Amino acid sequence: MPQTVVVGVDGSEESVHALRWAADHVRQVGGVLHAVTVWHQPVQFGYHQTSPDAELQRQGQEALDSSVARVKPDFPSVDIRPKLIRGQVVDEFVKLSKKADLLVVGDKGHGAFTGMLVGSVAVKIVHHAACPVTVVR
């Protein structure tokens, strides 16, 4: 039975490794790979940052497109479907996990603190996802 695999992509090297791992997995088992970037307007100390939504959306789309472009040539037969979503990262991936057979994330993304073994987003997704999760190091 073909699988529905969702992979989180934020443009970091870790997320490109996760996308590459997920593409290889789908190549082996069959299915569809949804490469997903979630963007939102960050709030710090109760105030929105100064970047306009259109700029943040553009940056998210650029990170998604460039990540897929780096991986797709090595997996031409894999059906990779990029998707950009506005929302809170963990909440959106938990929702997506309800329709997925597997969720794949990198061990750290852009927000990682130096020296952390696994990023906070990956840990939260592992604890709340409705499907199996693979964290790629």
Side-chain angles (χ1 to χ4, degrees):
M1 177 122 170
Q3 289 196 350
T4 298
V5 178
V6 174
V7 60
V9 178
D10 66 3
S12 67
E13 283 302 311
E14 289 81 5
S15 74
V16 172
H17 292 307
L19 179 58
R20 189 173 299 286
W21 186 95
D24 187 52
H25 176 76
V26 170
R27 182 185 55 77
Q28 293 177 46
V29 301
V32 176
L33 177 57
H34 297 273
V36 179
T37 297
V38 178
W39 71 277
H40 71 282
Q41 180 65 255
V43 176
Q44 196 168 21
F45 303 115
Y47 297 97
H48 286 284
Q49 299 294 317
T50 57
S51 298
D53 284 357
E55 176 61 18
L56 294 171
Q57 183 176 4
R58 184 195 64 74
Q59 289 172 1
Q61 188 68 56
E62 193 173 274
L64 179 59
D65 292 344
S66 67
S67 297
V68 170
R70 288 176 62 187
V71 172
K72 183 63 178 168
D74 295 332
F75 300 93
S77 65
V78 174
D79 184 3
I80 301 177
R81 299 180 186 178
K83 183 170 183 142
L84 184 67
I85 299 173
R86 181 181 182 161
Q88 295 299 319
V89 175
V90 174
D91 294 343
E92 294 302 325
F93 281 105
V94 169
K95 284 183 210 171
L96 291 167
S97 76
K98 294 175 182 173
K99 297 179 181 178
D101 296 301
L102 179 65
L103 184 58
V104 181
V105 294
D107 63 336
K108 298 187 267 297
H110 281 298
F113 291 99
T114 302
M116 286 184 67
L117 295 176
V118 178
S120 61
V121 169
V123 169
K124 289 175 186 174
I125 288 172
V126 165
H127 287 296
H128 298 288
C131 69
V133 178
T134 297
V135 179
V136 178
R137 292 202 62 182

